[in-house]
Amino acid sequence: ARLYFKGVGEGVNMSIQYEAPLADSFGVADSFPKDFGYGEEEGDLEDSPTPSDSKPRILLMGLRRSGKSSIQKVVFHKMSPNETLFLESTNKIYKDDISSSSFVNFQIWDFPGQVDFFDPTFDYEMIFRGTGALIFVIDAQDDYVEALSRLHLTVSRAYRVNPEINFEVFIHKVDGLSDDHKIETQRDIHQRANDDLADASLEKLHLSFYLTSIYDHSIFEAFSKVVQKLIPQLPTLENLLNIFISNSGIEKAFLFDVVSKIYIATDSSPVDMQSYELCCDMIDVVIDVSCIYGLKEDGTGSAYDKESMAIIRLNNTTVLYLKEVTKFLALVCILREESFERKGLIDYNFHCFRKAIHEVFEVGISTSRTSTQPAGTPLMKTVALNGTPRSTV
Ligand SMILES: Nc1nc2c(ncn2[C@@H]2O[C@H](COP(=O)(O)OP(=O)(O)OP(=O)(O)O)[C@@H](O)[C@H]2O)c(=O)[nH]1
């Protein structure tokens, strides 16, 4: 496909070419729920396989009380962090299928801390075979020796079954630690976990580490990175964002999954936490205002739809610009007031960008029809150009 973005100042058209990757993983789901919550489903391993069981999973594992359920509730169910204090201990595997209300098409399996996962009655091979990412949560405020041995046991077993899994370690609850203590804890956990792997001759098994807390945006940032690794179209999305911002005088742009506030792509300039938080806050403001004033009198309608857009001017000459891209994705940009004088140019380039994003996923539909889904690759929910979902699987 060939798209034309107009450049700032020169008025010269610039053409870009992109290729859509063959494997598809994510698409746009059917409808935005009015309450902005996610559909959920509970079950245990004895459940007979359902179509949703064939979706790639993100597994959330870790010791008891490490914070797994809290992470899931805060990121995907809009629970406020303080409410997690009252969460009861999970006593069976909790499967949360979030694909019906989000761009992201995956399942999260929250494992209860006290279950002996390697009990012979659990078919762990079946679990790991369809897993895209395994998140292991370690409580950084607690003694983590036991957690580290459990981490080693879990990842080494999982790796033997499915070496394609992305292994992600959340060093969690770091809100209670000083900055120095955070760095030291991360270094220590990193060192010990990798030493254990080296002793078991598993040097090829790569662990990624994140410092997280539900009391700030770090958990959303970490989840964004985990999800991004599962999106095969990511380089294309980044490329499009780079071209869009450089031709529009924009400083930073994020492509957000609106419900979860996970950013599924951003341009290649470094992400600073403040910009990300600012954009998250903008989504909250827009959705909250829209929920109050944007619905019809009888309460029907959606707080986020094709018409959704917002411009917020801050008192430090910064402008925030949000616009709907697909039913679940929004582009949120940060730019200077001077650049915003060329609003027409930005709108035009946005139009090209939006079209390109739709084409990326449209190409995905045709390739997913002709290719077999590789094991461990997330399936794609598809969208036509007008945003109407089609079934591919
Ligand atoms: N300070 C702090 N506390 C947290 C954080 N995340 C979770 N918690 C608290 O940790 C406690 C345990 O959280 P849960 O989410 O129930 O832990 P879990 O791992 O799901 O526990 P099980 O269901 O027993 O396996 C709760 O009181 C949470 O409020 C965090 O980032 N910081």
Side-chain angles (χ1 to χ4, degrees), residues 61-74 81-91 110-114 137 139 141 172-176 212-216 218-219:
M61 299 176 82
L63 294 186
R64 267 187 88 118
R65 311 303 288 161
S66 54
K68 303 178 293 297
S69 309
S70 311
I71 292 173
Q72 187 200 11
K73 296 284 179 197
V74 169
N82 289 330
E83 283 176 70
T84 64
L85 290 168
F86 310 107
L87 278 178
E88 293 194 358
S89 206
T90 316
N91 52 21
D110 183 5
F111 280 81
Q114 84 279 17
V137 185
D139 182 347
Q141 293 187 12
H172 193 53
K173 306 193 191 177
V174 291
D175 46 277
T212 57
S213 163
I214 53 169
Y215 288 95
D216 57 33
S218 58
I219 193 64

Side-chain angles (χ1 to χ4, degrees), residues 324-376:
E324 184 259 10
V325 176
T326 72
K327 275 191 169 178
F328 299 123
L329 294 181
L331 181 77
V332 186
C333 306
I334 300 178
L335 63 156
R336 302 245 70 85
E337 227 165 40
E338 308 85 84
S339 311
F340 200 64
E341 282 163 16
R342 303 168 205 273
K343 184 168 176 302
L345 177 80
I346 295 172
D347 285 341
Y348 176 81
N349 284 343
F350 173 80
H351 171 76
C352 297
F353 172 79
R354 186 177 186 279
K355 195 159 163 257
I357 294 286
H358 280 253
E359 281 175 23
V360 168
F361 294 110
E362 179 70 5
V363 173
I365 298 170
S366 44
T367 50
S368 72
R369 280 199 188 113
T370 51
S371 65
T372 323
Q373 196 70 32

Side-chain angles (χ1 to χ4, degrees), residues 174-242:
V174 291
D175 46 277
L177 310 184
S178 67
D179 282 351
D180 287 349
H181 197 172
K182 273 184 207 172
I183 309 279
E184 178 52 27
T185 308
Q186 180 170 16
R187 194 202 54 74
D188 190 40
I189 290 180
H190 184 283
Q191 176 84 42
R192 291 196 203 192
N194 282 318
D195 285 353
D196 287 349
L197 291 175
D199 290 346
S201 311
L202 285 170
E203 288 91 350
K204 281 196 188 146
L205 195 163
H206 178 75
L207 299 173
S208 306
F209 295 87
Y210 308 81
L211 291 168
T212 57
S213 163
I214 53 169
Y215 288 95
D216 57 33
H217 287 78
S218 58
I219 193 64
F220 294 94
E221 248 249 288
F223 239 103
S224 301
K225 295 199 170 131
V226 169
V227 169
Q228 282 169 25
K229 286 191 196 168
L230 298 173
I231 303 179
Q233 296 95 338
L234 186 66
T236 310
L237 300 181
E238 281 176 357
N239 198 14
L240 285 169
L241 281 160
N242 282 338

